[in-house]
Amino acid sequence: MSRDICICQEFLTEAHRAKIRSAADQAGLVPHFFTPDQFEEAAACLQHCEILYAHSPDLLRSAPASLKWYCCSYAGVDPYCKDPSVFANPDCMLTNSNGYGVTIAEHVVMVTLMLLRRMPEYEAVVRDRGWSNQLPIRSIRDNAFTLLGTGNIGVNVAQRLRGMGAAKITGLSRSGQAVPGFDEVYPISRLEEFLPSVKVLVMSLPGTPETIHILNRDRIALLPPDAYIINVGRGTAIEQEPLIEALNSGRLAGAALDVMDPEPLPPNHPLWNARNLILTPHVSGNMTLGYTCDVNVEMFCADLLRYGRCEPLKNLVDRTRGY
Amino acid sequence: MSRDICICQEFLTEAHRAKIRSAADQAGLVPHFFTPDQFEEAAACLQHCEILYAHSPDLLRSAPASLKWYCCSYAGVDPYCKDPSVFANPDCMLTNSNGYGVTIAEHVVMVTLMLLRRMPEYEAVVRDRGWSNQLPIRSIRDNAFTLLGTGNIGVNVAQRLRGMGAAKITGLSRSGQAVPGFDEVYPISRLEEFLPSVKVLVMSLPGTPETIHILNRDRIALLPPDAYIINVGRGTAIEQEPLIEALNSGRLAGAALDVMDPEPLPPNHPLWNARNLILTPHVSGNMTLGYTCDVNVEMFCADLLRYGRCEPLKNLVDRTRGY
């Protein structure tokens, strides 16, 4: 009887499939490929599989207790950690894929420049077919950045800001350990010390119990009026009501949110109307870029080889900690 | 009798004025400071000045034939070259200020990412309070860029694209001379060879007789359908009617124009409605950034010292050639 892998992804090219077949072969397993529109077929196959490579809590829920490893092709695995009942096997290993750093970093550079260069205001002028005097703008060059989260996204953001002449890049992370590309990194427990001097705050935190409303009303109040906030992690990290109040009253210069709570945002939600806010519908970590998909497949295949050798998986998530 | 300089600028800080006073003193001249709202006073003072540092064709027109040097604080001096009658003294020296490279490069990076990441489409979705599936996007990383113009702007753009992982940066310039940061530079006379393989075309050309409609209908037709065009030089460099047709018919992927012809764009102009077009009202070279103003003053002061020593001015413009 073969040992099987169920793979349910929309982005795989023939080259990706060949790569997976080769790794599976070395690991002594057989891959079965499905796309998300083949849910029923994938779920049926999954019944005799020990590995699932997908990004679907629903598909995972239909897996048997014999599933040993779920490789999630997304970075954010909070849906799987918040609700352990999605795993029939309580000891099932969970890995994630953090190959989004580059594309999310490009998104962060884009919205940082849009905020600093006041694009929301210019776009409003242009929509009215108007012309405008030059508004006072700010620059990445010589500016200071505070990055909440120093993982794959933070590192790629820091690298790009540095390349554009950023004067100072401060990181805040759980451990506070030094990370190349950052001028300094502190434990996130000291967040409140840093908020009063924030120029641009870039948040790329995972969705864990500790990060929920980490930027709450009291902390938003500590930010200076010329601060900009960018969030590409999880919408739950920001208390949205005081953020909206601060934006609308001009107590903050602006914000760019690619993530919010809930998603999709309901049509009557006050975030839609907030002042100097750039909203994008959770698209910064797009899986349509070749290099992002390549990294995703490479990470899975590398762990698949480790799995075949009974070695620890590199991208293993602590299901209690949430990342 | 003193030798005088008329200075009419809105952006000078006290530190800038002190720096100019010091340079003028060394050069044996006396500066007189005005802001643009003091036009009459500036024009009266100008009658006994040999130098004018400003950015106003009207003020220059009121200068006497004894004016020896006009330092324009903008990079684009085409208004002064197209119409020599603005100079009462036909031999008056003209210098310009190319210290905009950094801020214009930040604008180029911003609109490049907005086009590649399909922000015009996402912004339309968000304006309708909608949600969207992830659209196929492209990246600066691994992408190829063709830069028309390898001057201060082109160099700063190339540096930033390289820092973000661009695979290939090709420059096209009048001379075709190699420039650091470019993989290759060719004479702009070979433009048509390069158009069929353009991914992103960044235009930062001065407004000269040679650059008018350099991207004309026939050349726009040579571009592939996935090409993006960015123009931060002069609006006259692009034949706008075929550009609009190409955008609206989907024969081009998109464009970002900070310059157009005419400016301001009339309310009924078809550019306002063109598809996948990001318009900004000529604001990429903003004079509100400290470092841009600092460079501007430094360039003027350095040439002022040369003037005092009767040496050639470094930023001298060939009034016939136009840059």
Side-chain angles (χ1 to χ4, degrees), chain B residues 116-311:
Chain B
L116 294 175
R117 301 182 71 86
R118 304 179 71 166
M119 277 300 275
E121 287 151 278
Y122 281 128
E123 287 176 336
V125 167
V126 166
R127 267 199 303 281
D128 293 340
R129 302 189 168 201
W131 208 250
S132 165
N133 285 327
Q134 297 192 331
L135 304 170
I137 62 169
R138 286 153 60 193
S139 179
I140 286 179
R141 165 137 154 197
D142 300 343
N143 215 329
F145 296 85
T146 309
L147 274 51
L148 299 196
T150 60
N152 185 243
I153 297 170
V155 165
N156 274 288
V157 169
Q159 197 178 39
R160 281 157 181 76
L161 295 174
R162 182 76 70 199
M164 294 182 75
K168 191 170 182 190
I169 302 173
T170 303
L172 292 162
S173 70
R174 189 178 160 113
S175 71
Q177 273 172 355
V179 178
F182 289 79
D183 291 301
E184 46 192 25
V185 180
Y186 299 98
I188 208 161
S189 55
R190 291 176 57 186
L191 175 58
E192 293 185 357
E193 289 173 46
F194 293 91
L195 292 176
S197 57
V198 157
K199 300 291 177 199
V200 182
L201 185 71
V202 180
M203 303 173 66
S204 62
L205 296 168
T208 68
E210 289 100 326
T211 65
I212 290 178
H213 286 194
I214 194 163
L215 199 65
N216 61 17
R217 180 178 292 274
D218 291 345
R219 290 172 171 173
I220 288 171
L222 292 175
L223 288 163
D226 61 351
Y228 289 108
I229 300 175
I230 294 163
N231 190 8
V232 291
R234 279 290 180 258
T236 50
I238 301 181
E239 197 178 348
Q240 289 179 162
E241 198 183 298
L243 174 69
I244 294 165
E245 289 169 17
L247 289 170
N248 288 340
S249 67
R251 275 194 297 109
L252 282 179
L257 306 181
D258 188 49
V259 290
M260 48 221 91
D261 183 26
E263 292 176 15
L265 206 59
N268 60 346
H269 197 284
L271 261 185
W272 294 114
N273 275 341
R275 200 166 146 241
N276 287 327
L277 174 65
I278 298 168
L279 280 182
T280 44
H282 203 150
V283 293
S284 67
N286 197 308
M287 284 302 290
T288 67
L289 281 168
Y291 62 70
T292 312
C293 302
D294 292 349
V295 170
N296 213 292
V297 170
E298 277 158 29
M299 290 174 75
F300 172 63
C301 288
D303 263 348
L304 184 52
L305 294 175
R306 289 185 194 98
Y307 181 89
R309 296 190 298 260
C310 299
E311 292 171 9

Side-chain angles (χ1 to χ4, degrees), chain A residues 102-103 106 113-114 117 122-123 129 131 134-137 139-141 267 273 282-284 286 288 291, chain B residues 102-103 106 113-114 117 122-123 129 134-137 139-141 264 267 273 282-284 286 288 291:
Chain A
V102 170
T103 180
E106 291 199 359
L113 287 169
M114 288 177 74
R117 302 182 69 88
Y122 281 128
E123 288 177 335
R129 303 190 170 201
W131 208 249
Q134 297 193 331
L135 303 170
I137 62 169
S139 179
I140 287 179
R141 165 136 155 200
N273 275 340
H282 203 150
V283 293
S284 65
N286 197 309
T288 67
Y291 62 72
Chain B
V102 170
T103 181
E106 291 199 359
L113 288 168
M114 289 177 73
R117 301 182 71 86
Y122 281 128
E123 287 176 336
R129 302 189 168 201
Q134 297 192 331
L135 304 170
I137 62 169
S139 179
I140 286 179
R141 165 137 154 197
N273 275 341
H282 203 150
V283 293
S284 67
N286 197 308
T288 67
Y291 62 70

Side-chain angles (χ1 to χ4, degrees), chain A residues 201-269:
Chain A
L201 185 71
V202 180
M203 302 173 66
S204 63
L205 297 168
T208 69
E210 291 100 326
T211 64
I212 290 178
H213 286 194
I214 194 163
L215 199 65
N216 61 17
R217 180 179 292 276
D218 291 345
R219 289 172 172 173
I220 289 171
L222 292 174
L223 288 163
D226 61 351
Y228 289 107
I229 300 175
I230 294 163
N231 191 8
V232 291
R234 278 292 179 259
T236 51
I238 301 181
E239 197 178 348
Q240 289 180 164
E241 198 183 298
L243 174 68
I244 294 165
E245 289 169 17
L247 289 170
N248 287 340
S249 66
R251 276 194 297 107
L252 282 179
L257 306 181
D258 188 50
V259 290
M260 49 222 91
D261 183 25
E263 294 176 14
L265 206 58
N268 60 346
H269 198 284

Side-chain angles (χ1 to χ4, degrees), chain A residues 16-29 31 301 304-305:
Chain A
H16 291 144
R17 278 190 283 268
K19 193 161 183 157
I20 292 170
R21 272 190 209 99
S22 161
D25 193 52
Q26 289 179 62
L29 288 109
C301 287
L304 184 52
L305 294 175

